[in-house]
C-alpha cells in the first residue's frame, strides 16, 4: 500500500493510531521467505493487551527467515473506509494485504469475536469456508482458548491449534514451509499438519447428526488422529517469553509489562473454563521471573509491571518473590500489581508493602451469595474470608469495594440471589461498624452481576443456562433486595449476549452457517453493546433451521455425545462428570495441590507434575 | 537540569495524538536511562512540557519541549541517547541547556509555519491557486466554521493569518506555505486555513499539513519569526 492511500484511509478514521504500527520493538525484517499474519479479531487496544499474541509474535519472529506481522479487526469506520476505497485490510508492519501471507492465524479468546474473523477474511478477499479456498489462498488457522471446542469455526479454518502455542506454532510453520518447498497439494499439506500434536484439521472429520442432534464424528481418513490432544508446554521456566515486548503509542487496555508467573490453576472452580483447560499448573522459578521483569522493564520503558496468572496468590514462592520484585522495581520507580488475587490469599503484609496499590480499586469475586452455592461451584472461599478481607481494606483506608457475582448458576434458588444482597449488606455493615475517625467517607459497595455461561470442558458443560426471562426476574429480585443497603450499587450485565455466548461455547459444526449468515446481516463486534444485533442473529438461526434454545437452555444427558469431545483436552469427561455430580450435591473438591483429584485419567503420568 | 529540545514527527507517527507523544517520550527517556524529574506532591507529574501541541495527523520538523532531568547531560548526548530509544518517525534534531530563569516556551511562542497540501479534484492551476491565496490575503474577513467547545460557529480567521504564499500546483496537488499566529491563547489551525482555501478554489478534497517551524520571541536560541 502506498503512503498516499494509507493517508487517505487514516484521515477517515477516529483513531488512526490503531493502524500505523511503528511501535517500539516492532519487528523490521528485510530478508525472509515465509510470512505469517498474526491476527486478532478485536480492536488494537484489546489485541495488543493479549499475552499469548505477544509471546507468539516473539516466537515466530525468532525463526530464521520467518516474518510475523500483526493485524487487528478494523473498527467499523476503518471497515467502511476500506470498502469505499476498495482497499484490502493490511498488516501493521509492512501494510501488506493478508492474501500475500503464507499463513493467516487468528487468536480466539472469546466466542463473540468470531464475526470479526469473517470481516477480516472478507476485507482480504479470502473465501469464508476452507472448502472454497484453493492453493492461491494463505493457510487459515486459529488458536486460543476457544478452540477447545473447535466445531463452531470448523468449516472456516483449514487447521485449528489446540493448547499452548509457543512450541506448536513453530512446528506448524516448519511443516507449511517444507510442504511449499516440496510443492505438495493443499490436501497433502492438511494431512501433514494433522500429524502434528495439537493440530485439528476439521476437513478430515465429518460430524453426523440424527434427529437434529449431534451423534458422532466420522473420521474421513485413517491418517488423521482419533482425537487431537491439547498441547502443553511442559517446562514453563525454560519456555520462550515475550522478550522485547511491543510498546504501543496509544493507550491499550493492559498498558504495562506483563510477567507470566505461572500457567494453570489448581483451585478447580467448576464454572471456570480456564481453570480446566490450562492444567496442569506450571510455575516459573522466582529467579527467572526477576530476570525477566528487569529485562522487560529495561527494554520497554514501562513504569508498571503486572504479575500475571489465573491466581497469582497461589504462586508457591510468592512471599519470597514479591518483596524482592517490589524492592527491585522501587529503585526504578516502577510499580507492581497483582491482578488476580483471591480473598483467602494471605497477602496483607505484601499489600502494605506495595505502596503503589491505588486506593479505590479493590475487587473481590465471591461469585455466589450463599455458602451452599459457593460449594456447588467449588469456589472455596467463605463469608468470613470476605469480611476479613474487606475489613482489613477499610481499616487501611479503602472506602469502596467491588464484588463480582454470577447468577443463573446450576441449582440456584431465590435464596441464593437474596444471599448476594445479604453479603453486600454485611460488607456495608463492616464499613459502618468502624469508628467514624477510622474510616473514609463516600462508601460504595458495587455489586457486579454477570450471567452464568456454561462452558465446554468444565463440570457444568452439561447444564442448561437459565432463560432470559428468568435471569431478568432474578436481577429484579436482587435489585429490590439491595434497597436499603447503605452504599450499594448494582451493575447487571445484559443477558441477551450471554445466551449467544452459551450457544457458541457449546456449539457444533452447524453454527458455521449461522455465523456466516449473521455476518452477512451486518453482525460485527458482537461483544460491544452498541454493535450487537440480536434480531439479525435470530434471523440467521431460523434461516439455518436452528434455535438458540436448543444449544443454550437444554440440559445434556450424561451419556449424550458432545461435539467438542473430538478434542482431547487432557481433563477427562469422567472426571468432569464426577465434579458435576458432586456439584449437584453441593460437595466440594479440594485444591489439587493438596493431593491429586485424578482429573487427567491416563494422561496423569505423562502430563501432570504437580 | 532543564533541557530545551526540538523533535521531528514524520510518516505514520504523525497519526499519534499529543497524549501518545507524551507517553512515547516518557518511555523513551526511561529506555535511554535519562530519568525525568517529577513534581513533588500527592500526584507527581513528570516535568515535561511542550511549546504547543501538534494536531493528530500533522507532520513536523520542529516540535519544541522543555524537560527537567534528574541527571546532568550534554545536549549532544541527550540527542544521541534519546534518539536511540525513539521509534522510527520521531527524532530529536536540536537541543540546548536552559539557564536558570529561562522563560517557558509556551510564553515565548508567537507563530507557526506550515506547508499545507491540498489534494483537489478537479485539479487547480497555478494561477487559480495564486488567485485564491491572494483573495484570502486581500480580504478583511475570512469566515470559517470553527469547532469550539460550545458547538460549531463561524469565526474570522483572517487576523491569525500572517503570511501565505502559493508554492506549486500540479497533478491535483496544490501546496501553500502559511504563517499563522500561535500562542498560549490559540491561533491559526492549518485545517481551517485549508478549508478556507478549498472554499476560494470551489473544489473539494483532503489536505495534509506539515509544520516547518515554531517561531518564538525573546531568545536567540529558538527559531524566530524573521
Amino acid at each position: 500500500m502506498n503512503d498516499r492511500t494509507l493517508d487517505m484511509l487514516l484521515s477517515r478514521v477516529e483513531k488512526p493510531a490503531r493502524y500505523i504500527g511503528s511501535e517500539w520493538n516492532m519487528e523490521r525484517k528485510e530478508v525472509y521467505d515465509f510470512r505469517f499474519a498474526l491476527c486478532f479479531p478485536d480492536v488494537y487496544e484489546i489485541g495488543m493487551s493479549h499475552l499469548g499474541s505477544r509471546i507468539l509474535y516473539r516466537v515466530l519472529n525468532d525463526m530464521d527467515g520467518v516474518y510475523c506481522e500483526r493485524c487487528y479487526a478494523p473498527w467499523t469506520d476503518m471497515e467502511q473506509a476500506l470498502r469505499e476505497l476498495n482497499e484490502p485490510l493490511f498488516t501493521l508492519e509492512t501494510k501488506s494485504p493478508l492474501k500475500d501471507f503464507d499463513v493467516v492465524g487468528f487468536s480466539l479468546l472469546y466466542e463473540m469475536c468470531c464475526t470479526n474473523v469473517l470481516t477480516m477474511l472478507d476485507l482480504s478477499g479470502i473465501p469464508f469456508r476452507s472448502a472454497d479456498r484453493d492453493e492461491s489462498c494463505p493457510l487459515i488457522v486459529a488458536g486460543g482458548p476457544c478452540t477447545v471446542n473447535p466445531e463452531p469455526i470448523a468449516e472456516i479454518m483449514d487447521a485449528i491449534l489446540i493448547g499452548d502455542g509457543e512450541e506448536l506454532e513453530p512446528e506448524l510453520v516448519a511443516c507449511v514451509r517444507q510442504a511449499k518447498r516440496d510443492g505438495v497439494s493443499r490436501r497433502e499439506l492438511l494431512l501433514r499438519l494433522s500429524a502434528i500434536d495439537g493440530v485439528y484439521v476439521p476437513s478430515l472429520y465429518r460430524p453426523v447428526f440424527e434427529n437434529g442432534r449431534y451423534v458422532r464424528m466420522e473420521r474421513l481418513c485413517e491418517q488423521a488422529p482419533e482425537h487431537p490432544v491439547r498441547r502443553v508446554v511442559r517446562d514453563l521456566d525454560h519456555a520462550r517469553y515475550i522478550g522485547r515486548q511491543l510498546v504501543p503509542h496509544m493507550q491499550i487496555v493492559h498498558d504495562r509489562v506483563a510477567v507470566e508467573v505461572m500457567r494453570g490453576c489448581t483451585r478447580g472452580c467448576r464454572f471456570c473454563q480456564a481453570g480446566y483447560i490450562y492444567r496442569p499448573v506450571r510455575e516459573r522459578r522466582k529467579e527467572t521471573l526477576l530476570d525477566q521483569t528487569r529485562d522487560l522493564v529495561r527494554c520497554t520503558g514501562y513504569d508498571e509491571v503486572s504479575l500475571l496468572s489465573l491466581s497469582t496468590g497461589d504462586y508457591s514462592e510468592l512471599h519470597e518473590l514479591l518483596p524482592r520484585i517490589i524492592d527491585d522495581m522501587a529503585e526504578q520507580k516502577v510499580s507492581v500489581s497483582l491482578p488476580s488475587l483471591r480473598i483467602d490469599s494471605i497477602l496483607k503484609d505484601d499489600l502494605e508493602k506495595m505502596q503503589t496499590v491505588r486506593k479505590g480499586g479493590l475487587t473481590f469475586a465471591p461469585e455466589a451469595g450463599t455458602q451452599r452455592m459457593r460449594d456447588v461451584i467449588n469456589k472455596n472461599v467463605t463469608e468470613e474470608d470476605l469480611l476479613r478481607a474487606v475489613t482489613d481494606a477499610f481499616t487501611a483506608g479503602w472506602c469502596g469495594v467491588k464484588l463480582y457475582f454470577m447468577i443463573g448458576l446450576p441449582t440456584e434458588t431465590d435464596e441464593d440471589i437474596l444471599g448476594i444482597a445479604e453479603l453486600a449488606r454485611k460488607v456495608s455493615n463492616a464499613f459502618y461498624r468502624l469508628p467514624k475517625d477510622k474510616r473514609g467517607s463516600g462508601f460504595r459497595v458495587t455489586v457486579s452481576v454477570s450471567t452464568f455461561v456454561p462452558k465446554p470442558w468444565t463440570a457444568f458443560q452439561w447444564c442448561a443456562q437459565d432463560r432470559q426471562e428468568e435471569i431478568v426476574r432474578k436481577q429484579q429480585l436482587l435489585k429490590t433486595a439491595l434497597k436499603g443497603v447503605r452504599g450499594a450499587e448494582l451493575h447487571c450485565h445484559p443477558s441477551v449476549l450471554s445466551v449467544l455466548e452459551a450457544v457458541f461455547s457449546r456449539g457444533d459444526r452447524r453454527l458455521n452457517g449461522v455465523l456466516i449468515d449473521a455476518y452477512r446481516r451486518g453482525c460485527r463486534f458482537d461483544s460491544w453493546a452498541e454493535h450487537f444485533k440480536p434480531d439479525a442473529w435470530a434471523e440467521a438461526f431460523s434461516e439455518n433451521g436452528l434455535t438458540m434454545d436448543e444449544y443454550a437452555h437444554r440440559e445434556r444427558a450424561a451419556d449424550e455425545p458432545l461435539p467438542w469431545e473430538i478434542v482431547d483436552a487432557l481433563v477427562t469427561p469422567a472426571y468432569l462428570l464426577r465434579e458435576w455430580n458432586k456439584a449437584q450435591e453441593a460437595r466440594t473438591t479440594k485444591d489439587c495441590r493438596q493431593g491429586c483429584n485424578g482429573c487427567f485419567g491416563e494422561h496423569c503420568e505423562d502430563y501432570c507434575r504437580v | 537540569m532543564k533541557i530545551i529540545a526540538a523533535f521531528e514527527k514524520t510518516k505514520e507517527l504523525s497519526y499519534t495524538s499529543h497524549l501518545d507523544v507524551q507517553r512515547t517520550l516518557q518511555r523513551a527517556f526511561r529506555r535511554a536511562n535519562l530519568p525525568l524529574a517529577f513534581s513533588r506532591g500527592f500526584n507527581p507529574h513528570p516535568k515535561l512540557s511542550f511549546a504547543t501541541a501538534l494536531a493528530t495527523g500533522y507532520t513536523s520538523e520542529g516540535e519544541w519541549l522543555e524537560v527537567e532531568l534528574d541527571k546532568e547531560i550534554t545536549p549532544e548526548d541527550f540527542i544521541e541517547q534519546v534518539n536511540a530509544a525513539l521509534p522510527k518517525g520521531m527524532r530529536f534534531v536540536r537541543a540546548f541547556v536552559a539557564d536558570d530563569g529561562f522563560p517557558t516556551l509556551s510564553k515565548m511562542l508567537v507563530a507557526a509555519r506550515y506547508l499545507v497540501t491540498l489534494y483537489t479534484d478537479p485539479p487547480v492551476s497555478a494561477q487559480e491557486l495564486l488567485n485564491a491565496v491572494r483573495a484570502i490575503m486581500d480580504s478583511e474577513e475570512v469566515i470559517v466554521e470553527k469547532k469550539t467547545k460550545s458547538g460549531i460557529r463561524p469565526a474570522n480567521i483572517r487576523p491569525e493569518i500572517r503570511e501565505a504564499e502559493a508554492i506549486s500546483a500540479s497533478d491535483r496537488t496544490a501546496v501553500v506555505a502559511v504563517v499563522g499566529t500561535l500562542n498560549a491563547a490559540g491561533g491559526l489551525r492549518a485545517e481551517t486555513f485549508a478549508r478556507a482555501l478549498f472554499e476560494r478554489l470551489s473544489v473539494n478534497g483532503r489536505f495534509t499539513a506539515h509544520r516547518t517551524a515554531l517561531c518564538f520571541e525573546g531568545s536567540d536560541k529558538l527559531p524566530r519569526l524573521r
Side-chain angles (χ1 to χ4, degrees):
Chain A
M1 182 176 292
N2 63 39
D3 288 355
R4 186 123 164 214
T5 311
L6 185 64
D7 271 335
M8 280 169 74
L9 290 167
L10 294 178
S11 61
R12 285 172 182 229
V13 301
E14 186 199 351
K15 292 184 177 174
R18 283 171 171 161
Y19 312 98
I20 59 175
S22 291
E23 304 95 333
W24 182 251
N25 287 333
M26 184 185 90
E27 280 295 333
R28 293 176 196 273
K29 287 195 181 181
E30 300 294 327
V31 186
Y32 49 87
D33 59 33
F34 195 92
R35 307 185 74 182
F36 194 107
L38 190 61
C39 298
F40 196 94
D42 210 322
V43 284
Y44 179 86
E45 300 92 296
I46 294 176
M48 275 287 284
S49 303
H50 175 225
L51 180 71
S53 301
R54 291 175 182 174
I55 298 170
L56 293 179
Y57 185 69
R58 184 58 48 219
V59 166
L60 291 168
N61 275 314
D62 280 353
M63 291 178 79
D64 213 22
V66 176
Y67 193 6
C68 171
E69 305 185 31
R70 293 160 298 145
C71 187
Y72 301 92
W75 190 241
T76 47
D77 55 0
M78 180 53 104
E79 182 187 346
Q80 197 188 339
L82 289 166
R83 288 189 196 281
E84 280 170 13
L85 297 178
N86 201 18
E87 288 292 328
L89 182 63
F90 54 90
T91 54
L92 269 53
E93 277 74 8
T94 63
K95 314 287 184 288
S96 305
L98 298 186
K99 250 200 148 158
D100 290 357
F101 285 77
D102 296 292
V103 178
V104 171
F106 289 93
S107 297
L108 298 180
L109 270 79
Y110 34 88
E111 294 80 5
M112 292 301 92
C113 58
C114 285
T115 49
N116 294 348
V117 170
L118 299 180
T119 310
M120 296 172 80
L121 292 176
D122 197 15
L123 290 172
S124 306
I126 298 172
F128 292 153
R129 289 176 201 269
S130 174
D132 298 335
R133 295 192 291 262
D134 60 19
E135 264 78 1
S136 74
C137 285
L139 188 79
I140 312 293
V141 304
C146 280
T147 65
V148 291
N149 177 12
E151 288 306 292
I153 49 157
E155 289 174 6
I156 295 163
M157 299 298 158
D158 297 319
I160 296 175
L161 285 64
I162 298 145
D164 295 337
E166 51 264 83
E167 290 167 4
L168 181 48
E169 297 259 3
E171 287 174 30
L172 174 105
V173 166
C175 179
V176 179
R177 216 173 178 187
Q178 189 58 48
K180 294 229 157 191
R181 286 188 192 128
D182 297 347
V184 304
S185 66
R186 172 74 50 131
R187 160 112 192 138
E188 170 63 23
L189 167 63
L190 292 179
L191 276 176
R192 288 188 188 184
L193 287 173
S194 74
I196 301 174
D197 285 341
V199 174
Y200 172 55
V201 176
S203 56
L204 304 179
Y205 306 79
R206 185 171 57 212
V208 179
F209 297 89
E210 279 169 17
N211 302 322
R213 286 208 182 138
Y214 170 82
V215 286
R216 68 177 175 278
M217 196 65 94
E218 270 178 14
R219 240 179 345 147
L220 303 178
C221 152
E222 289 278 296
Q223 285 157 271
E226 238 172 288
H227 296 282
V229 182
R230 172 168 68 87
R231 274 300 277 272
V232 165
V233 167
R234 284 155 200 261
D235 183 357
L236 193 68
D237 199 51
H238 287 94
R240 291 307 318 266
Y241 80 117
I242 309 158
R244 300 183 305 283
Q245 182 178 326
L246 286 158
V247 186
H249 306 294
M250 70 186 294
Q251 199 164 17
I252 60 171
V253 180
H254 299 295
D255 208 359
R256 57 190 74 90
V257 158
V259 179
E260 189 185 18
V261 293
M262 61 179 181
R263 203 171 289 179
C265 174
T266 52
R267 295 283 181 159
C269 298
R270 290 177 178 134
F271 57 87
C272 178
Q273 189 186 43
Y276 289 111
I277 66 167
Y278 286 105
R279 292 179 184 205
V281 157
R282 290 145 289 162
E283 296 190 345
R284 284 200 162 102
R285 291 182 312 127
K286 63 175 185 301
E287 290 76 17
T288 312
L289 292 170
L290 276 165
D291 285 347
Q292 291 182 355
T293 308
R294 278 188 208 117
D295 191 37
L296 283 162
V297 166
R298 186 177 45 74
C299 74
T300 59
Y302 269 118
D303 58 4
E304 196 181 341
V305 172
S306 183
L307 302 180
L308 281 189
S309 78
L310 291 170
S311 179
T312 304
D314 290 336
Y315 177 65
S316 58
E317 297 182 287
L318 189 67
H319 299 291
E320 291 83 59
L321 174 71
L322 253 191
R324 281 182 65 185
I325 231 164
I326 290 167
D327 284 346
D328 209 26
M329 290 298 119
E331 270 172 42
Q332 308 173 54
K333 296 203 179 80
V334 174
S335 67
V336 181
S337 62
L338 303 175
S340 37
L341 287 179
R342 287 173 58 99
I343 300 161
D344 50 349
S345 305
I346 308 154
L347 278 169
K348 206 177 155 213
D349 295 344
D350 294 320
L351 285 173
E352 274 166 13
K353 204 169 158 49
M354 293 166 66
Q355 322 118 309
T356 46
V357 174
R358 284 183 211 95
K359 295 192 167 116
L362 195 62
T363 305
F364 295 112
E367 311 286 7
T370 58
Q371 195 56 49
R372 186 201 70 84
M373 194 75 250
R374 285 192 295 273
D375 289 346
V376 169
I377 63 175
N378 205 43
K379 181 88 188 183
N380 292 322
V381 298
T382 63
E383 190 175 296
E384 291 71 52
D385 291 331
L386 175 68
L387 293 178
R388 194 184 44 216
V390 295
T391 306
D392 283 351
F394 296 153
T395 315
W398 268 274
C399 43
V401 60
K402 194 171 179 180
L403 303 177
Y404 276 118
F405 294 97
M406 281 182 290
I407 57 172
L409 287 162
T411 78
E412 186 176 73
T413 64
D414 284 0
E415 197 185 319
D416 300 307
I417 303 295
L418 297 173
I420 296 174
E422 202 41 49
L423 204 53
R425 184 187 312 277
K426 284 175 181 165
V427 168
S428 177
N429 289 346
F431 180 83
Y432 286 108
R433 202 175 295 128
L434 292 173
K436 255 196 173 148
D437 56 329
K438 291 236 171 91
R439 67 185 199 218
S441 58
F443 171 73
R444 274 272 163 278
V445 50
T446 308
V447 176
S448 183
V449 176
S450 60
T451 305
F452 168 65
V453 177
K455 296 274 177 172
W457 299 108
T458 68
F460 294 157
Q461 63 177 357
W462 291 276
C463 84
Q465 188 186 39
D466 265 358
R467 279 173 212 283
Q468 224 183 306
E469 309 85 77
E470 178 67 355
I471 293 293
V472 171
R473 186 189 69 80
K474 285 176 176 174
Q475 288 175 346
Q476 202 53 47
L477 183 68
L478 180 57
K479 196 175 166 189
T480 312
L482 275 171
K483 279 187 186 142
V485 178
R486 278 178 86 185
E489 207 173 89
L490 177 65
H491 288 296
C492 288
H493 294 264
S495 57
V496 197
L497 192 61
S498 310
V499 178
L500 196 60
E501 198 184 323
V503 171
F504 274 87
S505 294
R506 294 184 296 171
D508 53 45
R509 210 174 277 199
R510 294 175 296 181
L511 292 184
N512 286 265
V514 178
L515 194 61
I516 292 169
D517 272 342
Y519 171 78
R520 295 209 168 111
R521 286 166 203 274
C523 294
R524 306 279 190 284
F525 287 103
D526 301 287
S527 54
W528 299 69
E530 72 259 45
H531 289 300
F532 183 51
K533 297 189 176 73
D535 295 342
W537 277 105
E539 286 162 24
F541 273 93
S542 72
E543 184 85 355
N544 284 270
L546 297 169
T547 65
M548 292 198 234
D549 206 57
E550 165 82 5
Y551 290 98
H553 304 131
R554 182 175 68 84
E555 181 170 332
R556 275 71 161 170
D559 59 354
E560 182 176 329
L562 302 170
W564 50 93
E565 284 176 359
I566 182 59
V567 168
D568 181 345
L570 297 180
V571 171
T572 62
Y575 167 74
L576 294 174
L577 192 59
R578 286 205 298 280
E579 284 294 290
W580 175 223
N581 290 331
K582 281 171 86 175
Q584 285 160 312
E585 295 159 18
R587 285 194 295 137
T588 60
T589 298
K590 64 185 183 302
D591 184 325
C592 73
R593 284 183 200 250
Q594 294 156 20
C596 182
N597 295 312
C599 69
F600 271 14
E602 59 180 16
H603 287 309
C604 189
E605 265 179 36
D606 292 343
Y607 285 94
C608 188
R609 293 177 181 184
V610 173
Chain B
M1 75 178 304
K2 188 163 158 188
I3 293 245
I4 292 185
F7 63 89
E8 306 177 324
K9 207 178 162 197
T10 56
K11 294 196 163 176
E12 283 107 319
L13 257 68
S14 65
Y15 288 98
T16 57
S17 70
H18 187 60
L19 261 173
D20 297 339
V21 168
Q22 285 177 308
R23 255 193 303 270
T24 298
L25 283 172
Q26 285 183 34
R27 288 170 187 161
F29 285 132
R30 295 183 66 100
R31 292 192 290 264
N33 231 341
L34 291 179
L36 285 166
F38 277 78
S39 65
R40 285 167 209 285
F42 186 67
N43 194 5
H45 286 292
K47 292 185 174 172
L48 169 71
S49 53
F50 294 75
T52 185
L54 182 69
T56 307
Y58 292 13
T59 51
S60 173
E61 287 171 38
E63 291 303 300
W64 287 86
L65 57 78
E66 49 200 306
V67 57
E68 210 146 321
L69 298 172
D70 275 340
K71 186 176 162 182
E72 294 292 314
I73 188 165
T74 66
E76 296 75 27
D77 287 350
F78 173 86
I79 291 178
E80 197 187 313
Q81 289 176 30
V82 181
N83 281 354
L86 275 173
K88 214 169 163 181
M90 260 174 86
R91 194 171 68 100
F92 278 91
V93 287
R94 288 174 66 184
F96 60 86
V97 175
D99 308 326
D100 288 345
F102 198 88
T104 61
L105 293 171
S106 59
K107 277 187 189 146
M108 293 192 286
L109 181 68
V110 289
R113 294 175 186 279
Y114 298 92
L115 281 179
V116 176
T117 306
L118 309 183
Y119 300 94
T120 63
D121 192 13
V124 296
S125 69
Q127 191 60 48
E128 284 173 308
L129 185 65
L130 207 63
N131 292 345
V133 171
R134 198 170 290 156
I136 287 178
M137 295 312 285
D138 289 348
S139 309
E140 299 224 326
E141 275 195 336
V142 176
I143 305 296
V144 177
E145 303 259 282
K146 214 172 174 179
K147 261 187 219 163
T148 64
K149 276 173 196 159
S150 49
I152 297 169
R153 53 175 58 176
N156 177 19
I157 59 163
R158 181 61 189 87
E160 295 164 352
I161 307 171
R162 295 205 178 199
E163 298 165 24
E165 188 191 347
I167 303 291
S168 65
S170 64
D171 194 23
R172 296 184 184 191
T173 304
V175 183
V176 176
V178 60
V179 182
T181 301
L182 186 61
N183 54 42
L188 181 71
R189 296 175 50 171
E191 186 231 334
T192 49
F193 179 75
R195 278 197 283 130
L197 261 180
F198 277 126
E199 216 167 283
R200 293 295 180 291
L201 289 165
S202 309
V203 290
N204 289 319
R206 59 182 197 98
F207 78 99
T208 56
H210 174 67
R211 187 137 81 190
T212 47
L214 289 175
C215 308
F216 299 87
E217 262 173 16
S219 167
D220 293 340
K221 292 179 166 173
L222 294 164
R224 304 176 72 96
L225 195 52
R226 276 273 158 254

